[in-house]
Amino acid sequence: MSAITTPRVRRGTVRTGITLSRRAGMVFVLPALALFSIFIAYPLLTALSYSFFDWTGIVRGGFVGVENYVTLFTRLPYRDDLPNAFVHNLLLFVGAMVFQNTIGLGLATLLHRIGRFKRFFQTMYTLPYLVSPLVIGYLWSLMLSPLFGPVNAVLRGIGLGELAQPWLGNPQTAIWVVVVVTAWQWIGFPVLLYGAALGGIPQEIDEAASIDGASAWQRFRAITLPMLLPAIGTVSVLTFIGAMEAFPIPYALGGSQGNPAGATDVMSLLFYRTAFESGSSNAIGTSSAIATLLFLFIFGISMLITWFMRRTERKLF
Amino acid sequence: MRRRILTTTALLAGSALLLSACAPSAASGDGAEEGDQVTLKVWSWRTEDVEAYNTIFDVFEEQHPNITVEFEAFQNTEYNQILTTGLAGSDGPDVPMVRAYGQLQPNIEAGQLEPIDGKVDGLDEIAPSVIAGAKGKADGKTYAVPLATQTLQMFYNKAIFDEHGLEVPNTWDEFIEVNEKLLAAGVTPMALGAKDDWILPIFADIIGSARYGGSEFEEKVLAGETDFTDPDYVASLELVTQVQKYLTPDVVGVSYTDSQIQFTSGQAAQFPGGSFEIATFRNQAPDLEFGSYQVPLPDGAVLDAPVSPAYADGNFAVNTKSTHQDEAFELLNWLATPEFGQLVADELNQFSAIPGVEYEDEVMKEAWANYEDGQAPYLLLVDFRYGEPLGTAVLGAEVQKMFLGQTDAAAAAASLQAGISQWFTPGE
């Protein structure tokens, strides 16, 4: 056996065979950096700076420090609306997580097992995801209308008349309609992602465990689930961002005020109302403060979920 | 390369010069008066009225041959943003249509509109609660000419009333009786889209304005002699709960558009709403025979005659940055004439803000006559949309809660008072 010399590669650097000076490297990075600065960094920083000023229409007044943020927690309607909307965003996230990691994962596993019609069902489950959420929300609001909607008519038709109710008119049910409709629309997304991840798990491991006498559930717990963790992490972060920024479905179902009586209000609706409908002369200041808070929260928690998932993965493998 | 760019630029500049040289001579060829032809840009959110406005401005252009009016309409929901940007930049409108009351204040505070006091004739003819919609809250100056008035009243389906032998009620007891009879006959007495909160303060005022005292109450509450926890105001909100049984069950689940369909399709006999519904009803159901009435006086009413609450809807103003100030004011003066008012009535099917206008349409004629007999301000819109939270938004959500049984009239009135007292100081 001849000796094979492996080139020593310093940890942390990738050998590509191309040597670039730092300056030349910068030149290649520059176009992307310029685009990023103009279209992402600049608007973000402007919104941040706007939130520290007092505004009169679109004329910027004096620097007011964190007063706009204090307003959000001390003055009506924000004092009441902000926690109310925020809790609804969290409900949306929890609801979506529950649906995606039970029904979504279950469907993906089932689809992975069956060979036939796999593509067909994948497409079917993904279809609602391809329709605009505004349209989805509008369709559901028609279906649930207490006057003309088919949902209550069907319930009455099959003798379940007691269950028929003003789904979107009752604050107790309205928010759950938003949660379920959102989850319903997005169910195709985990089916696709988990499907791809399941396809990436080597069959041999599963077979070996099976020969060793592991039951189907044991194999799922000990092999499939841990190997799916990276996918679950990705789905969680994206779901979190989606839930925190939810706008079109709540808007279509409950209008910009989060009707009835704020029962379907979410953070983006609060932002929308403040920025575009309040008619307040300081609309820019207050709405920028909401936007900044929302961004910081989404950014922070997303980082946290990512960090947590990475740590769990490292422990497993 | 450089040479080619230079050539192109030169060509472009040359043709631009030629074009601009052509423009005035072409205009003067039409027999225009001496002086430059001026084009005024008019902006609006009434995309549905573009043709009507072009007809209206044709009349103006005939009388003012040196002015061409270019009417542009933008999406209603995006208009505020478009206008704010337009007024800030250099190519905005000369004469923009602007919102009324509180929603007008950001443009005034930003110094984007010209004060018009003393520059436009006929402003003192306009009803005070209507011209108030065109004034700056801080300086009291007038900044615009009001376009239209919206009146709030109860619409009813004439065929359904005939079928059940019902008459327009003149007393509160008759009003209750009409609703009871309809209910017993299996017809929804009133269509209301309580899922959309904005319609609810309108409903509360149609039912209860006379109970709390209309303009009399307005004066007192503005002066600080009373507030919304006043027993009369609370009693007016109690009427809303009292008539809830005449609305669709689960009314909070019914959207505004659903309620319009309920009325136009004959499923509901009455529709409490604004005069802006008349055109919609005519479009949705051309055969529908309907009229309107003012809800009669309930027991203990402060006023001694029923009223139609009303408010100004839309104004025309002059952009401070307009380079054609003289012509813009010429147009604004014309917009304040009865001639334009009549065109608003005939072409736009709206109630003009200018007095002395005749209405052809029977329903409009009736609603206007009622309004002239008994006027009141749509209080929460006229006076309580100058700060956050908006009075209309607070009461809208509170009435929803009342319908859902989560709160009562006294608590709703207290919430309204708490909300507006955050920015409203009486006597200012």
Side-chain angles (χ1 to χ4, degrees):
Chain A
M1 197 191 259
S2 61
I4 299 168
T5 49
T6 39
R8 266 169 197 267
V9 178
R10 225 182 336 137
R11 229 180 108 87
T13 56
V14 182
R15 281 199 71 108
T16 53
I18 304 166
T19 322
L20 273 182
S21 70
R22 181 167 285 256
R23 191 176 293 171
M26 288 301 280
V27 171
F28 281 98
V29 174
L30 210 60
L33 188 69
L35 287 175
F36 175 81
S37 317
I38 295 170
F39 292 109
I40 297 174
Y42 175 69
L44 271 177
L45 291 174
T46 341
L48 180 69
S49 76
Y50 283 1
S51 69
F52 293 116
F53 286 89
D54 188 35
W55 290 78
T56 310
I58 50 156
V59 181
R60 200 173 72 180
F63 181 80
V64 292
V66 292
E67 198 181 288
N68 288 325
Y69 293 86
V70 175
T71 300
L72 292 184
F73 294 98
T74 54
R75 284 178 72 89
L76 287 169
Y78 308 105
R79 193 174 69 198
D80 291 347
D81 285 2
L82 194 82
N84 179 41
F86 184 69
V87 167
H88 292 153
N89 279 107
L90 292 184
L91 273 182
L92 274 181
F93 172 59
V94 173
M97 283 300 282
V98 168
F99 272 91
Q100 296 184 342
N101 290 315
T102 54
I103 299 179
L105 183 54
L107 284 174
T109 319
L110 285 177
L111 283 182
H112 183 60
R113 298 249 171 92
I114 62 164
R116 260 192 188 192
F117 301 124
K118 184 175 162 184
R119 286 254 162 239
F120 172 75
F121 281 114
Q122 262 181 355
T123 314
M124 292 309 287
Y125 289 127
T126 324
L127 266 186
Y129 176 52
L130 301 180
V131 180
S132 157
L134 262 179
V135 177
I136 298 264
Y138 179 63
L139 286 178
W140 276 100
S141 77
L142 287 182
M143 301 227 281
L144 294 168
S145 159
L147 293 174
F148 319 107
V151 171
N152 282 345
V154 167
L155 284 174
R156 289 201 182 93
I158 57 171
L160 290 172
E162 315 90 81
L163 285 181
Q165 44 176 315
W167 298 99
L168 288 168
N170 182 344
Q172 269 88 46
T173 49
I175 183 63
W176 295 109
V177 170
V178 176
V179 169
V180 172
V181 170
T182 308
W184 175 81
Q185 192 195 6
W186 279 74
I187 203 74
F189 173 66
V191 168
L192 277 187
L193 255 168
Y194 289 148
L198 284 168
I201 299 175
Q203 288 276 292
E204 299 82 13
I205 310 180
D206 213 38
E207 276 168 26
S210 171
I211 290 166
D212 288 343
S215 71
W217 174 243
Q218 278 174 325
R219 273 176 287 151
F220 181 77
R221 276 290 316 276
I223 299 166
T224 316
L225 203 58
M227 299 198 82
L228 275 181
L229 260 190
I232 294 178
T234 312
V235 169
S236 307
V237 173
L238 291 177
T239 307
F240 177 74
I241 297 173
M244 283 298 142
E245 290 176 344
F247 179 78
I249 289 183
Y251 181 76
L253 290 173
S256 67
Q257 299 283 339
N259 287 313
T264 57
D265 203 12
V266 290
M267 292 297 285
S268 296
L269 284 180
L270 178 61
F271 171 80
Y272 178 83
R273 284 205 302 278
T274 314
F276 301 115
E277 288 186 341
S278 69
S280 145
S281 33
N282 191 27
I284 294 183
T286 327
S287 57
S288 298
I290 298 178
T292 307
L293 274 189
L294 190 60
F295 169 75
L296 288 178
F297 182 75
I298 294 178
F299 185 71
I301 299 293
S302 302
M303 295 298 279
L304 205 70
I305 300 179
T306 317
W307 171 80
F308 177 74
M309 285 292 174
R310 287 249 174 84
R311 206 183 59 145
T312 322
E313 279 167 38
R314 268 205 302 275
K315 271 192 192 159
L316 275 169
F317 303 115
Chain B
M1 185 65 186
R2 170 163 292 177
R3 215 194 151 108
R4 190 185 292 167
I5 291 173
L6 273 176
T7 324
T8 323
T9 322
L11 272 173
L12 277 173
S15 46
L17 269 176
L18 270 175
L19 278 174
S20 55
C22 280
S25 63
S28 56
D30 291 341
E33 294 170 10
E34 273 180 80
D36 288 338
Q37 186 72 18
V38 168
T39 301
L40 287 179
K41 273 199 275 184
V42 176
W43 282 12
S44 163
W45 61 83
R46 298 288 302 178
T47 43
E48 54 272 66
D49 290 339
V50 174
E51 270 179 47
Y53 271 109
N54 283 332
T55 317
I56 291 175
F57 287 127
D58 281 348
V59 177
F60 174 79
E61 284 169 355
E62 247 169 58
Q63 299 168 5
H64 303 81
N66 61 321
I67 302 177
T68 310
V69 177
E70 200 181 286
F71 183 81
E72 270 187 276
F74 302 90
Q75 184 66 28
N76 188 356
T77 44
E78 269 125 55
Y79 185 73
N80 290 8
Q81 263 47 52
I82 295 171
L83 179 65
T84 304
T85 321
L87 291 176
S90 55
D91 54 353
D94 299 288
V95 176
M97 190 191 269
V98 290
R99 309 282 180 186
Y101 305 106
Q103 307 274 315
L104 172 64
Q105 304 306 313
N107 297 122
I108 294 178
E109 285 165 16
Q112 293 168 329
L113 307 177
E114 281 287 315
I116 65 165
D117 297 282
K119 292 187 185 169
V120 174
D121 300 327
L123 292 179
D124 36 344
E125 309 272 315
I126 299 168
S129 70
V130 172
I131 195 82
K135 289 192 171 176
K137 192 75 178 170
D139 58 9
K141 289 183 188 164
T142 312
Y143 284 89
V145 175
L147 164 69
T149 306
Q150 303 291 356
T151 63
L152 311 178
Q153 56 274 303
M154 185 72 79
F155 293 104
Y156 70 100
N157 183 325
K158 285 185 172 168
I160 296 182
F161 266 48
D162 285 347
E163 190 187 327
H164 299 279
L166 302 171
E167 299 262 332
V168 168
N170 289 315
T171 64
W172 185 260
D173 289 341
E174 284 176 26
F175 175 64
I176 296 295
E177 199 185 313
V178 162
N179 286 300
E180 285 292 342
K181 277 189 180 162
L182 287 165
L183 204 59
V187 181
T188 304
M190 285 184 254
L192 183 70
K195 181 165 169 272
D196 291 298
D197 62 316
W198 63 267
I199 192 85
L200 296 173
I202 290 181
F203 179 63
D205 251 26
I206 290 175
I207 299 285
S209 180
R211 175 66 189 84
Y212 68 72
S215 336
E216 291 178 23
F217 182 79
E218 180 192 32
E219 263 175 46
K220 282 194 214 159
V221 85
L222 291 181
E225 289 163 30
T226 188
D227 61 23
F228 285 96
T229 58
D230 189 293
D232 284 324
Y233 194 79
V234 174
S236 82
L237 289 183
E238 272 160 8
L239 296 175
V240 169
T241 333
Q242 203 183 320
V243 298
Q244 188 185 352
K245 59 182 164 197
Y246 307 124
L247 305 167
T248 319
D250 306 334
V251 67
V252 184
V254 180
S255 72
Y256 167 66
T257 37
D258 283 356
S259 71
Q260 286 179 315
I261 297 169
Q262 261 186 304
F263 183 69
T264 50
S265 66
Q267 293 177 42
Q270 301 168 95
F271 188 101
S275 44
F276 47 85
E277 305 289 356
I278 298 174
T280 320
F281 291 160
R282 288 249 181 277
N283 282 334
Q284 282 186 1
D287 299 332
L288 183 73
E289 289 265 330
F290 66 103
S292 72
Y293 66 89
Q294 296 173 324
V295 172
L297 292 179
D299 289 340
V302 173
L303 297 183
D304 50 15
V307 287
S308 301
Y311 62 95
D313 190 18
N315 287 303
F316 281 109
V318 173
N319 181 356
T320 323
K321 288 190 177 163
S322 165
T323 46
H324 307 298
Q325 296 284 337
D326 291 345
E327 289 81 4
F329 272 103
E330 216 173 311
L331 175 60
L332 222 59
N333 265 297
W334 185 73
L335 296 174
T337 58
E339 182 184 17
F340 172 72
Q342 192 61 51
L343 286 166
V344 169
D346 299 342
E347 300 290 335
L348 301 172
N349 292 315
Q350 298 264 16
F351 290 134
S352 167
I354 315 295
V357 170
E358 298 290 325
Y359 297 98
E360 287 268 322
D361 183 295
E362 284 303 316
V363 182
M364 286 179 76
K365 203 186 258 181
E366 181 181 39
W368 190 251
N370 284 338
Y371 167 68
E372 295 217 302
D373 284 348
Q375 307 189 356
Y378 171 25
L379 187 60
L380 292 183
L381 185 145
V382 170
D383 295 305
F384 293 97
R385 280 167 67 105
Y386 288 94
E388 276 190 298
L390 304 176
T392 45
V394 179
L395 190 67
E398 289 299 319
V399 173
Q400 282 180 335
K401 288 184 196 161
M402 280 165 55
F403 283 155
L404 292 161
Q406 294 177 347
T407 189
D408 60 14
S415 293
L416 175 60
Q417 182 58 34
I420 56 164
S421 60
Q422 197 169 263
W423 53 267
F424 169 71
T425 322
E428 266 184 13

